[in-house]
Amino acid sequence: HFEPFSSSLLRTPEHIPQHDVIMVYSRDPENAAKSCKAKGSDFRVHFKNTRETGAALKGLYLPRAQQYLQNVIEKKEIIPFVRFRYGVGRKAQLKQTPSKACQGRWPKKSAVFLLGLLKNAESNAELKGLEVEKMKIEHIQVNQAMHGRRRTYRAHGRINAYMSSPCHIEMWLVEDSEPVAKADDGGAGKKAQKKLKKPLQSGATAE
C-alpha cells in the first residue's frame, strides 16, 4: 500500500539548525567598547611576506598604516624583513625607516590584502561610532594556514610537490585616548634626589 508523501517530513530552512560562526581571536582587547576587530582566513598570499608586513604595521594609526601600504605598493617606502630575512636582498631605502634591518622588500600582494583588512576594520570602527583617525593597531597576528597542494612535472618522469603557503590574519585596533600632558615640577624631583643622605665610609649617615 503506497502512502502519500507527508509534508511534515520535509526539512524546511527553519528546521535546519543554524550554527553561528564565532570568530575566535588569540587574545581580546582590554576595552572592547573602544576597539574594532578584523580577521581573515586562508588568504592566498605568502605567509612570510605577510608576517613581515604585518609586523611593520603594529603601533601605527589607521590613516598612517593605509598610506604606508599604499607607498609600499608604489615602492615609495619599504618593508623591513627582520625574521624571515635569509635570501632577501639588502636595500638602501631602509635607511629611511626606524628599523635597524638592512634587508627588505616591497610585497605588493601582502600590502593589497592588508589594505582590504584595514578597510574592513575601518568600517567596523565607523559602525561602532569610533573616531577613525585615532584608531591604533595594537594587535596584528599572521599565522600559517594549511599548505595548498599541487604538483609540478620534472625531467625523467619525476613529480615534485608544488605547494602554496597561505596564511590567516587577525588584528584589532583601539581608539587612542588623548595623551596626558606631563606636569612641570620645575626640576624639583631631581633636586630632591640630590639632597638624599649619603652613607659615609664608616657606615654612619651624613646629617
Side-chain angles (χ1 to χ4, degrees), residues 112-206:
V112 170
F113 273 82
L114 286 170
L115 269 175
L117 211 57
L118 287 176
K119 184 63 178 176
N120 191 356
E122 180 181 358
S123 300
N124 294 338
E126 293 174 351
L127 186 63
K128 297 179 72 171
L130 303 175
E131 296 187 38
V132 176
E133 292 76 12
K134 295 183 179 180
M135 301 305 295
K136 187 177 182 180
I137 303 175
E138 286 203 354
H139 168 73
I140 181 167
Q141 181 172 314
V142 182
N143 296 330
Q144 281 184 290
M146 183 182 295
H147 289 280
R149 300 191 63 89
R150 289 185 293 170
R151 58 173 59 179
T152 182
Y153 300 92
R154 311 303 296 269
H156 310 293
R158 293 175 297 127
I159 295 176
N160 285 359
Y162 205 73
M163 305 202 304
S164 61
S165 299
C167 62
H168 311 304
I169 309 174
E170 67 175 51
M171 66 174 69
W172 40 261
L173 292 77
V174 176
E175 187 179 41
D176 196 14
S177 58
E178 293 293 336
V180 180
K182 185 177 180 181
D184 187 13
D185 55 358
K190 296 181 179 180
K191 293 180 181 178
Q193 292 178 0
K194 291 181 180 179
K195 292 182 180 180
L196 293 177
K197 297 179 181 180
K198 298 181 179 179
L200 300 178
Q201 294 181 355
S202 59
T205 306

Side-chain angles (χ1 to χ4, degrees), residues 86-101:
Y86 300 104
V88 180
R90 294 174 291 180
K91 307 293 189 302
Q93 197 175 19
L94 285 162
K95 297 176 183 178
Q96 305 173 5
T97 65
S99 174
K100 295 181 179 179

